Amino acid sequence: MNSATWQQLFGWRTAFDHPVTVGAVTGILAALAIAPLAIHALSRFNVISPKLHEELWLRWKSWLWLTAVMVGPILLGAAWVMIAVAVLSWFCFQEFARATGLFREFPIIAVVMVGIFALLIANVDHCDRMYFSLAALTSGVIAVVTLPENRPQGYLQRVALGIVGFLLFGYSIGYLGLMANDSRYRPLLILVLLSVELNDIFAFCVGKFFGSRRLLSNISPGKTVVGSVGALVLTTGLVIWMGKSIFAGTAMENYFSLLKLGLLISLLGQLGDLILSAIKRDIGVKDLGVCIAGHGGWLDRFDSLVLVPPAVYHFLSYELGPLGQDQAARIFTGG
Amino acid sequence: MNDWRYDPAHDLGLQTNQRHRSTLRESDLTSSVLRLGWLMTVRTILKCWNRLEIHGLENLPAQPPFVIVANHSSHLDTVVLASALSLRWRDHVSPLAAGDYFFATPPLAGFSAVILNALPIWRDRRHGQRHELGDLRERLMNQSAIYIVFPEGSRSRDGQLHEFRPGFATLVAGTAIPVLPCHLSGSFAAMPPDANAVRPRKIILQIGTPLTFETVANRAEGWRQVAAVIRDKIVALSACELPSRKFHPRHWGEKLLLIARFSRLLLRRRLRSLAGFGGTFRSQGCCWKFELGGRPLSQPMSGKVLSINTSSASADKVTVK
């Protein structure tokens, strides 16, 4: 491994080299600092109820460590991002498995665990072909692994749940790790994470103040058409604003490409949210977990992230050429 | 074509610590693998260090659910009983443990839940918990569970069998679930309640024939009746003479066991008397005579051990005056 590759994987000294990273981290820290004052002020002037005040406090406290967990690995180096993404994938899949009852199928869980680990290896090794092949290979193994049990009852259900769980929460979220092989991974990942999380907030706020017509009342009664359109506009604007700096001097610099990227992130972010809402309604549970106070589980927090990373990766690869092509490939396996 | 039916985890919606303390807890792959490693390790240690002997394995039912009831005088009792069962049943076996002791702190609760798969019984009503025997009975019938129960309520401080608290009988009264009375001997000597380490004492587990209490009413008088019958069976097991077991080291595991015991004895003899390696080694019906080092047994070296170089563990380093 040469020094450039080492820097890419573990080089934390270059964390604040890009102005977008500096600006975004400063902005996030400022928002976290101002939030308790704002909550206190709103409560003081009776704008929010004591119950909402309590809930906002809980959410703010959760955001403190969530920010550290999300931004920390990005600043520390690409290898930490890949590990964090694999851990997030596993947590999300576990919540899905517990909610659907799939967790009782040990062979399928073991295959998905190995699949997520293999995705991590592919990311760290920067072996894109291995990464792409794992979708088909792992799905195939999931279909085969329970055959020796000689139990056809419920076969289709458990295999389908296993494959859907792996593709959505292992393979799809794992693309964030694949993006970490690009030299601009820090601002790029901050752009994706920030725009996806703010997309949720934009939809909620705009919907709360201006919305009345429900978007999909059976799947998610809280979402409105106006909120969705508002999020689309605001998130796209944010992506264009940040993207101008991140992609300066590349084919992505023009407004039309950034507009497409913004729409893609906002639309898929909202669709990911709706997918998880549909799953929750189908199973009949409100939250898929309880580990993040005020939010629910990992999937309740990161549901919008499920569809975005592969779309962004392939869109940028289409516009700019394969992401990470300027970095060493197959770092450990050679070739 | 049937509709898909989801069966979410019964403990969905509980925080980790709440989940560990809940009787609704279900095993996942990670805890199952950890438990497998734990049981295999404990089994090996019990076999080598405590020469664990199990009688009556043929009395075990072919399938769960069933309940194992035993005398209780040591922390070893739970692991001895759990390690006597098939590893396939590791996620079904749940010792019923005192909630105020085994689930007192989050790390201890985590160990008890994940590794031991224990379920809490709250002895102290001030704790804010009610007895959950009804939930446990339901779990036993619906989830093919195997419970390990110590009806004395706590470890015996003198090694003797004490009176049974009849409440546990609500688990089986009026059901066809088999109850296996078991007797443990040697565990008190190996690890009494005031000990922190396990001594190398022989432990014998006797598994009695299964009993069922289908016709017994699930009421206080029925529970007392069940408790009395099971206690009598355990007393009878403790009194019965065990058949002597021959030890024929055929398999590599047994040979390793023999070498381990032989080495332990050798070291002990060497330290006790520096006359030379020699003596007889008895183990489970076999007698092994050995003499090494050339020093005759009849001429022991007299003296007093002043110091031992433990770093080399070599008998040559022992200084004698």
Side-chain angles (χ1 to χ4, degrees):
Chain A
M1 191 191 302
N2 59 33
S3 63
T5 310
W6 178 265
Q7 274 300 316
Q8 170 80 5
L9 290 175
F10 302 104
W12 54 271
R13 289 176 200 280
T14 54
F16 293 104
D17 279 3
H18 201 284
V20 169
T21 313
V22 179
V25 171
T26 311
I28 291 166
L29 292 177
L32 284 174
I34 293 166
L37 301 174
I39 294 168
H40 184 70
L42 288 171
S43 179
R44 185 78 183 259
F45 295 109
N46 292 325
V47 178
I48 55 173
S49 65
K51 193 183 168 192
L52 186 59
H53 173 256
E54 191 67 29
E55 194 187 325
L56 288 174
W57 263 115
L58 266 180
R59 282 180 176 246
W60 176 75
K61 284 178 195 168
S62 297
W63 269 118
L64 285 180
W65 67 264
L66 273 175
T67 306
V69 167
M70 287 163 73
V71 178
I74 294 174
L75 297 179
L76 285 172
W80 301 110
V81 172
M82 293 162 190
I83 292 169
V85 165
V87 171
L88 177 67
S89 296
W90 176 242
F91 284 170
C92 289
F93 177 78
Q94 269 216 317
E95 279 185 359
F96 172 77
R98 287 181 63 76
T100 54
L102 182 69
F103 77 106
R104 297 186 189 93
E105 305 291 340
F106 286 1
I108 291 178
I109 301 295
V111 171
V112 173
M113 190 190 269
V114 172
I116 289 174
F117 186 71
L119 291 173
L120 170 65
I121 298 295
N123 279 336
V124 175
D125 190 37
H126 193 188
C127 182
D128 296 358
R129 285 187 180 185
M130 179 183 168
Y131 189 91
F132 299 139
S133 69
L134 281 168
L137 291 176
T138 311
S139 301
V141 178
I142 288 171
V144 167
V145 76
T146 59
L147 287 179
E149 291 179 8
N150 196 19
R151 184 166 53 98
Q153 295 82 12
Y155 172 79
L156 187 59
Q157 176 167 359
R158 59 179 178 266
V159 168
L161 286 174
I163 293 174
V164 166
F166 174 74
L167 290 181
L168 284 181
F169 313 120
Y171 188 70
S172 190
I173 293 180
Y175 266 88
L176 289 171
L178 206 55
M179 281 187 215
N181 280 311
D182 192 76
S183 56
R184 294 155 296 197
Y185 75 94
R186 284 193 175 104
L188 186 58
L189 286 174
I190 285 175
L191 169 74
V192 171
L193 293 176
L194 195 64
S195 53
V196 164
E197 295 304 326
L198 286 177
N199 192 40
D200 276 359
I201 296 169
F202 291 152
F204 175 78
C205 293
V206 175
K208 196 87 176 164
F209 289 114
F210 306 107
S212 57
R213 193 174 157 199
R214 305 278 174 228
L215 182 66
L216 294 166
S217 58
N218 289 334
I219 291 177
S220 184
K223 290 186 179 53
T224 61
V225 176
V226 174
S228 178
V229 174
L232 212 62
V233 172
L234 292 171
T235 306
T236 306
L238 177 79
V239 170
I240 291 172
W241 180 55
M242 288 176 73
K244 274 303 254 184
S245 173
I246 295 170
F247 301 110
T250 68
M252 276 292 296
E253 198 183 12
N254 65 79
Y255 281 106
F256 185 61
S257 296
L258 289 172
L259 178 75
K260 283 190 283 184
L261 180 64
L263 290 173
L264 199 67
I265 290 176
S266 180
L267 197 64
L268 291 177
Q270 293 184 48
L271 287 174
D273 199 345
L274 288 169
I275 286 175
L276 265 296
S277 294
I279 290 174
K280 284 191 273 190
R281 294 290 176 283
D282 190 16
I283 297 167
V285 296
K286 186 181 175 293
D287 289 325
L288 291 165
V290 286
C291 54
I292 308 174
H295 297 264
W298 291 98
L299 270 180
D300 297 301
R301 182 61 272 148
F302 293 101
D303 50 3
S304 316
L305 199 63
V306 166
L307 298 180
V308 173
V312 170
Y313 178 88
H314 288 295
F315 177 75
L316 291 179
S317 293
Y318 176 75
E319 293 280 340
L320 303 170
L323 278 187
Q325 64 180 341
D326 54 341
Q327 298 294 314
R330 299 189 64 178
I331 297 164
F332 299 103
T333 55
Chain B
M1 188 175 172
N2 295 328
D3 285 343
W4 280 12
R5 285 184 184 170
Y6 302 104
D7 186 10
H10 299 148
D11 53 4
L12 194 73
L14 297 179
Q15 296 276 9
T16 308
N17 194 33
Q18 291 172 330
R19 189 185 295 166
H20 289 158
R21 290 157 167 248
S22 170
T23 53
L24 300 173
R25 192 181 65 236
E26 287 192 81
S27 294
D28 57 14
L29 179 67
T30 316
S31 58
S32 181
V33 170
L34 287 172
R35 213 168 283 146
L36 177 69
W38 162 259
L39 282 174
M40 287 171 75
T41 310
V42 162
R43 236 179 221 207
T44 311
I45 292 170
L46 286 171
K47 284 262 182 193
C48 296
W49 189 248
N50 295 103
R51 294 163 287 152
L52 174 64
E53 207 172 277
I54 303 169
H55 297 267
L57 273 174
E58 65 280 2
N59 292 327
L60 286 174
Q63 288 297 326
F66 57 88
V67 177
I68 295 173
V69 181
N71 57 315
H72 191 26
S73 55
S74 168
H75 278 321
L76 285 178
D77 295 342
T78 307
V79 287
V80 168
L81 288 164
S83 63
L85 301 172
S86 166
L87 289 174
R88 281 184 296 117
W89 291 342
R90 64 185 179 277
D91 297 327
H92 298 269
V93 181
S94 296
L96 302 191
D100 51 291
Y101 187 93
F102 284 95
F103 293 85
T105 60
L108 193 57
F111 176 79
S112 303
V114 176
I115 304 294
L116 300 179
N117 201 21
L119 293 170
I121 295 283
W122 300 97
R123 297 182 291 194
D124 184 3
R125 282 171 187 272
R126 284 174 301 172
H127 194 80
Q129 303 278 349
R130 63 178 185 81
H131 283 282
E132 290 169 324
L133 286 170
D135 295 342
L136 291 171
R137 179 184 160 105
E138 203 171 307
R139 181 186 169 114
L140 182 66
M141 289 193 286
N142 297 337
Q143 291 186 35
S144 299
I146 300 169
Y147 288 162
I148 295 174
V149 184
F150 302 111
E152 290 166 89
S154 183
R155 285 168 295 164
S156 166
R157 266 37 186 185
D158 55 7
Q160 301 301 309
L161 183 66
H162 290 271
E163 286 305 313
F164 281 7
R165 295 183 184 188
F168 81 95
T170 191
L171 297 170
V172 290
T175 72
I177 293 169
V179 179
L180 281 94
C182 295
H183 181 260
L184 281 152
S185 60
S187 58
F188 182 76
M191 195 181 182
D194 57 348
N196 292 321
V198 181
R199 298 167 188 162
R201 303 288 186 273
K202 188 176 182 64
I203 298 176
I204 298 172
L205 166 63
Q206 293 166 268
I207 303 170
T209 49
L211 309 165
T212 52
F213 299 96
E214 216 165 345
T215 55
V216 177
N218 188 17
R219 289 197 298 271
E221 62 269 29
W223 302 341
R224 279 193 287 274
Q225 187 188 337
V226 172
V229 170
I230 296 173
R231 191 178 184 282
D232 289 347
K233 284 281 178 189
I234 293 175
V235 170
L237 279 173
S238 69
C240 81
E241 202 166 307
L242 293 170
S244 63
R245 289 183 60 176
K246 298 286 181 193
F247 186 70
H248 297 296
R250 288 194 200 93
H251 307 295
W252 65 269
E254 289 173 334
K255 285 174 185 165
L256 276 178
L257 188 65
L258 186 70
I259 291 166
R261 286 183 196 168
F262 183 80
S263 311
R264 197 182 65 186
L265 185 103
L266 214 61
L267 187 65
R268 201 184 292 164
R269 293 254 169 146
R270 183 65 171 157
L271 294 176
R272 212 178 278 164
S273 156
L274 297 167
F277 298 105
T280 54
F281 166 46
R282 290 180 187 281
S283 172
Q284 298 176 347
C286 292
C287 178
W288 306 78
K289 289 189 176 177
F290 60 94
E291 190 171 335
L292 296 169
R295 202 183 294 275
L297 281 169
S298 54
Q299 298 171 4
M301 185 189 283
S302 61
K304 197 168 88 177
V305 176
L306 288 180
S307 65
I308 301 169
N309 185 344
T310 53
S311 62
S312 67
S314 163
D316 294 326
K317 302 287 180 187
V318 177
T319 313
V320 181
K321 190 177 181 182

